[in-house]
Amino acid sequence: MSDLAVSLPAGTDSIGFEASGPRGPKPRHVFSRRNIFLYGTLIVVALYYLLPLYVMVVTSLKGMPEIRLGNIFSPPLEITFEPWVKAWSSACTGLNCDGLSRGFWNSVRITVPSVILSIAIASVNGYALANWRFKGADTFFVILIVGAFIPYQVMIYPIVIILREIGLYGSLSGLVIVHSIFGMPILTLLFRNYFSSMPDELFRAARVDGAGFWGIYFRIMLPMSLPIFVVAIILQVTGIWNDFLFGVVYTRPDTYPMTVQLNNIVNSVQGVKEYNVNMAATILTGLVPLVVYFVSGKLFVRGIAAGAVKG
Amino acid sequence: TDLEVTHWWTSGGEAAAVAEFAKAFDATGNHWVDGAIAGSGGTARPIMISRITGGDPMGATQFNHGRQAEELVQAGLMRDLTDLATRDRWAEIVQPKSLLDGCTLDGKIYCVPVNIHSWQWLWLSNAAFEKAGVPVPKNWNEYVAAAPALEKAGIIPLALGGQPWQSSGAFDVLLTAVGGTDAFLKVYRDKDADFAAGPEVAKVFKAADDARKMAKNTNVQDWNQATNLVISGNAGGQIMGDWAQGEFQVAGQTAGKDYTCLPGLGLNEVIATGGDAFYFPLLQDAEKSKAQEALAETLLDPNTQVAFNLKKGSLPVRGDIDLKAANDCMKKGLDILAKGSVMPWTDQLLSQDTQKQKEDLFSEFFAKPDMTVEEAQKRFADIVASAD
Amino acid sequence: MSKSERPNQLFRNLNAKVASIPMVLTALVIFVGGSAWTVLYSFTNSKLLPRLNFVGLDQYYRLWSTPRWLVSIENLLVYGVLSLVFSLVIGFILAALLDQKIRFEDTFRTIFLYPFALSFIVTGLVWQWLLNPEFGIQGVVRGLGWESFSFDPLYNSEIVIYGILIAALWQGTGLIMCLMLAGLRGIDEDIWKAARVDGIPTLKTYLFIIIPMMRPVFITALVIIAAGIVKVYDLVVAQTSGGPGIASEVPAKYVYDYMFFAQNLGQGFAASTMMLLSVVVVIVPWAYLEFGGKKHV
Amino acid sequence: MTRLENASVSIQDLSLNFGAISVLETLNIDVAEGEFIVLLGPSGCGKSTLLNCIAGLLDVSDGRIFIKGKNVTWEEPKNRGIGMVFQSYALYPQMTVEKNLSFGLRVAGIAKDEIAKRIARAAEILQIEPLLQRKPSALSGGQRQRVAIGRALVRDVDVFLFDEPLSNLDAKLRAELRVEIKLLHSKLQNTMIYVTHDQIEAMTLADRIAVMKGGVIQQLDAPQTIYNRPVNRFVAGFLGSPAMNFLDGRLEKNDGNWHFVAEDVRIPLATYAFEKEPVPGAAVFGIRPEHVAFNSGSGWPFTATANVVVVEPMGSDTLVWLKLGNQNFTVRVTSERTPNNADTVSIGFDPMRASLFDAATGARL
Amino acid sequence: MTRLENASVSIQDLSLNFGAISVLETLNIDVAEGEFIVLLGPSGCGKSTLLNCIAGLLDVSDGRIFIKGKNVTWEEPKNRGIGMVFQSYALYPQMTVEKNLSFGLRVAGIAKDEIAKRIARAAEILQIEPLLQRKPSALSGGQRQRVAIGRALVRDVDVFLFDEPLSNLDAKLRAELRVEIKLLHSKLQNTMIYVTHDQIEAMTLADRIAVMKGGVIQQLDAPQTIYNRPVNRFVAGFLGSPAMNFLDGRLEKNDGNWHFVAEDVRIPLATYAFEKEPVPGAAVFGIRPEHVAFNSGSGWPFTATANVVVVEPMGSDTLVWLKLGNQNFTVRVTSERTPNNADTVSIGFDPMRASLFDAATGARL
Ligand SMILES: Nc1ncnc2c1ncn2[C@@H]1O[C@H](COP(=O)(O)OP(=O)(O)OP(=O)(O)O)[C@@H](O)[C@H]1O
Ligand SMILES: Nc1ncnc2c1ncn2[C@@H]1O[C@H](COP(=O)(O)OP(=O)(O)OP(=O)(O)O)[C@@H](O)[C@H]1O
Ligand SMILES: [Mg+2]
Ligand SMILES: [Mg+2]
């Protein structure tokens, strides 16, 4: 063996080096300048982001007299759930005094099929574009992407005419179709990127195994696409739930979604503006997408990385 | 039969008023399905029109009578009510006659007017003037003169909501009051652009400039929030149509005691025969069509008229009914009506397109202190020149 | 020798083609057809109902001489540029901060992202309220004794567009941050190490090395922001309705107002066409480069 | 070119373009029944493309493909009687091993008990019985590769296609699985077409190797032939690690004997077997590092002295990098007799084992 | 334990934990000035971690690091006098090669002409002058790797750290660059610490190899020592391809002579040099494939017959996989004398070249 030693037990004295001097981990201060800057910035920014939510919640828990007195940031002296009850079940628009509750179920009835249909169509499109490239597919895709930039207002009128011609105007299915159409560009892009980032060999293996277009889609691709489906679901649930324009143009009062009801309640000023009711209604309306988002936030970030960053 | 009725009456007074219609209609054995759309006519009308043109019409819908539904009628989407009108002798009961003209196209009647709305009112808060230590003004000029005192007392002299139609309406009121009825008609009926660019209208713009200065601290959007400023004494007054009265009423205030109303800004006491009307889209369903007739009758029923207009603060469309319960301000209105000092309003005279341009102009004018009166008048004359 | 002939190309991958029918229909009927229809009717004087009554370029002359349209365009430019810059900058900075292996990363990320779940209507309402000079931030600060404090962007024509921007950024930067974070996480660890060994300070590493490497992420973010900018409407309506006066008008609102409020479809279509045109001029070449090329197998 | 009568796979005039880029050009191969063919070539030469054409995963631009005498040029992949194993394994991540194996069979609607039988057989051959209920993510690289082979196995096909099946594995595992594949082939006696860019794999596995470059097959021959008698300089240089030594020089005839002359090096070619009658001119002389010996006295037809640049001991043997004249030269020797850095050594070899190439065309002389 | 007086890099009692996981445990190495040390070990054994600790890219949990006699345990990476080359090259993709090389220097505020001089020198040494204006994306793998080395070179440092710098390259290029690195080292005479899991690289490059496993250095020695006298079974098995043959059996003393006995195989150990006095018991006998010969008559201390399983011709030589008893056995022979499949052959070797390990601890006997 050479005269150089290996892995001998610790503590052996060494020659030629000072025995003291830095040893072990570099000391780190919890309050280093870096940390103060880092967390300071984050906390300040977080406060900015939380402020509106805080104000909404606090206000919705105050009574009107207290609101008139004053400070929107001060916590409620006396917590009341009256505004929430009112916003949910008895706020009036015209003669309808059933608050948001009716809109809630309408929104559910609109959102669920729209989300399912739009994601179903877009995922199949994305899959066809990524794996079964046929002639002209790219052209349609580019048109679709450009479509993502077209302001909805431009399309309202032509769609009214198209829906009238196919007899779906004012019906729920009509609105579902509209949502599917406008969800298509960005979802198709997401799915296409995601499916192209999956190894091509997987697709080839399945073809050698004899699976066809739908076989590969349902049995190979779908089970592997959870992250991107989560992203698509979040985007669509928030998008469709929050939609106002289509909801108001393509439905009728008994099928108004929640956002339209919210707008009605907020804009139906009876006497003084009941800010607490408005805020409660606002929170209630935002609750569904918020919950969806909080529940699946982690998957969302992961899916975004898979669908939007690559490809 | 269920009949869906769309309208944009969602403020407190309005909602209470429309409830009267619903009650009366339900009493006929039908059912009023309320389709209130909040915001303003501006928000609601596109939705109504989309639904009618989109093939999903409601049973009946509110419009301002005049030219808003003109094209829908021309396109044959609206129901012809002439037979019903002849049977129920509308021509005789509707007062003033000009109201029914707004519903008539090519000799056929397409709508049921339900009230008369006049824009030409100045609403003043007695409490505010008391606080400022000046007497409640009798007309616009006194009011302008009192503005500095109000301001000193921390009171906004004039409440003016941010929505464009409010600025535009306020100007039209100033035009009738300061310029006179003839000037109004010359500009809007005859579309005389030279006149609109002339010195008489310049006077009106001068008044509008005063109003702009007086209103500069109002930070509300909705008209009834502005009204609320007056009710609470935070603002001295507001130029607003008679519907504002409903808000005073809901707030439990009494005309003459808590607030003062000056028709025609106290300068030119006339009443414009604008107002609301119901149109009935053409429906396939025979049952619904029958219900439409029942609704039309209900709307003109004397009792309903009284109940509705008392709540709404507007004037009834029939002259043959007794409004004992009417308050001070309404009585003033009824008197003017009785005197026959009536005039048409912009809804009847101008297309929505021109109205919208006017709104754009005046909302800009009232919001932008550095826009000169001359520039505004020039642009106004341009709009008048291209108006239809 | 059976089947030695090349089979009909139309029927190869037939299923894929069938499955793409919704996309093809949407692209052709809705986007192309709808746009063409809009362009066609922009040359007519349609009022409440579309009528093929051609008036040439009248609608366009009128459009470009309307002060409100010009204001709208100007606002869109200001808003667009600022929201692009700020979204990217803030989104990136937040992502970079979150990427420092910090504690509670999930919490912070959730906080920054939650506004994205809220609609523009809600966003607009809340910020309209917060920025209300009487009882919003200005009112509260004044209440604390600082009487001269002034912060009322929504009621000041000069700066109203910034007031809208504040709300827009609050709503939208979370998503951009998410994208950036994903992009940062995708960068090879070794690059960071190499930069540290080279003694390059963190800021310079970001500026000269990391950001240039994140080009694809920036492009994705750019597309998302840009698509939102052209469409901005709800936020303005909920916050200011275009006011004070016409100070915060935007093109999409002009289109909507003239099509429906003013019952002048022709004018609305002309404005739509201008918007379409600008979108097409900017997007099509880019989209073709990005997606039409032969990048994939 | 003669055609195999009973070719298992026969490719005739195959061309393939991606748009304007021509990747394969009128390519012909016949693979005999039960033969193990390796496609070898540098990255991007079109190996995978060719394999995908055979599998039916790419539409050919021209030419025909026969499998078992049947024209399958426009057939769907599943109807070609092929099984394929991919570089990245391409296992379906959400299915267990058993499901992975049975997927194709289930799609084809084969009876349950038949499926079970086939899986049992494949699992036994590949010794993956204990893994059947695991997901691919719970397998090691080698196990995954075996499952991937199993998926081809259960399809009960005549032709196996492998696309660099081992290149994602580490060296040790690669060596082991190489042997397994070899054993599998001798057990099944299927036709196998195997793509790789690793020459060791090619040399050890193939019955015949097809060396490709730029979409063209350079040489199709038994491994030893390709190693010892490469048809051109590319093939010679591509095979062998460390690479063959090349000396640039001229072919000259002196005194009736051919010589290769490079500056001051003069190699007699009396023992070299020319392909055809040589003509004087620029040529390249190639000799493999292991065919050169050190300090070998005068036993060799050619000897010279050279300077040692680097010595690389590799355990079992040692590479010595030399300068011969001013040209680089590598010698491979067993570990025992190694010179030191900067030594001057004498080397010798027999030109019989060398290869001579035309300097311009690269063709073997 | 003695310490090098003038160690270039000295690591004392280094420990590193990631949370509860201990990756490195009280590790000690001294690297002499100008020495080329290779850290060799399987994936995940902590090689990169150790290198990152030396570079200052990871904060150590315990212990000290000296570079050039200076305690740099808490020093920033740039102040440690090290240059580092990464597996993925880690070139700044949007900068030209020149910018890549100069960026660190410019940031450090070094004078323009000094920078130019250093780049010129590095470019000359690495022969990348023509590439200076290109972006990394326009370079081949080997060129990128050279630029990455150049980035360390311009920093004018005493210690170079390499983290698997060649493992992303193909075999051919790897062989070439290996030689270049070796030459670079002999030119610069820097201290170099080089991480790899490729034993060929380790064997050819290192002055000394540190074989690591699970965060512990198993053996630190010259390559030939490690190859020929591995201190334990892990080291023996890790080095060499194909791997050393291991036979499980027992150590027995018969008639005063030690024998290794595995079933019917009985190997006399007269020529074997024991580390220490042997005791009877379970043991593992290891012999490298190239130390076994075929048909060797009676010249060998040990001979036996075995069955051929597979023959793998690899060009320069041939691997023969055998069954000896029922244990697998590999023999490596030059190409000329190869048996055929399923032959029965006789083999022989000298136990002098073998290694014996304790069956339980794996330590060399
Ligand atoms: N879809 C495609 N479009 C255009 N060119 C392609 C396409 N697919 C492959 N090529 C080109 O065809 C050539 C051959 O590719 P191929 O994948 O067959 O190479 P390979 O020999 O398998 O290489 P490797 O060893 O890297 O797998 C390459 O030059 C590649 O760039
Ligand atoms: N940030 C970390 N957190 C937790 N464990 C880690 C971290 N980084 C590395 N490890 C663990 O430390 C061990 C050593 O990792 P290291 O990267 O040093 O291995 P290596 O020898 O370089 O392997 P390879 O040859 O694959 O590069 C591994 O088991 C790894 O899982
Ligand atoms: Mg390939
Ligand atoms: Mg490593």
Side-chain angles (χ1 to χ4, degrees), chain A residues 219-242:
Chain A
R219 300 168 79 161
I220 310 293
M221 296 300 184
L222 269 199
M224 292 172 58
S225 319
L226 181 67
I228 200 68
F229 269 89
V230 169
V231 171
I233 289 171
I234 293 181
L235 284 181
Q236 284 301 85
V237 167
T238 50
I240 295 173
W241 190 273
N242 288 335

Side-chain angles (χ1 to χ4, degrees), chain A residues 38-39 48-49 53 55 59 71-72 125 133 148 151 153 157 161 184 189 213 242 275 282 289 293-294 298 308, chain C residues 16 23 26 37 50 102-103 106 110 113-114 117 119 122 129 135 140 166 170 173 220 231 233 275 291 297:
Chain A
L38 191 62
Y39 287 95
Y48 164 72
Y49 276 88
L53 185 66
V55 169
T59 307
N71 188 327
I72 51 170
N125 276 343
R133 311 165 60 80
Q153 288 77 13
Y157 213 99
I161 293 175
M184 209 184 291
L189 177 66
F213 182 87
N242 288 335
Y275 288 110
T282 307
Y293 163 70
F294 281 128
K298 261 223 164 96
Chain C
M23 175 182 78
T26 303
W37 191 89
I102 55 159
R103 290 157 67 96
D106 279 359
T110 306
L113 190 51
Y114 88 88
S119 65
V122 170
W129 214 50
F135 44 78
V140 169
I166 290 177
W170 178 79
T173 36
T220 308
K231 284 192 258 196
Y233 171 78
M275 292 180 74
F291 301 108
V297 184

Side-chain angles (χ1 to χ4, degrees), chain C residues 25-46:
Chain C
L25 278 184
T26 303
L28 287 185
V29 177
I30 309 289
F31 293 136
V32 174
S35 304
W37 191 89
T38 300
V39 173
L40 178 70
Y41 278 88
S42 73
F43 298 108
T44 70
N45 67 351
S46 304

Side-chain angles (χ1 to χ4, degrees), chain A residues 201, chain D residues 43-44 46-49 87 163-164 195 197:
Chain A
E201 294 192 341
Chain D
S43 192
K47 306 180 297 290
S48 301
T49 306
Q87 174 174 1
D163 192 355
E164 316 207 12
V195 164
H197 59 241

Side-chain angles (χ1 to χ4, degrees), chain E residues 18 21 23 41-50 87 163-164 195 197:
Chain E
F18 287 116
I21 312 155
V23 176
S43 193
C45 71
K47 307 180 295 290
S48 301
T49 307
L50 174 55
Q87 173 175 0
D163 193 354
E164 315 207 12
V195 163
H197 57 242

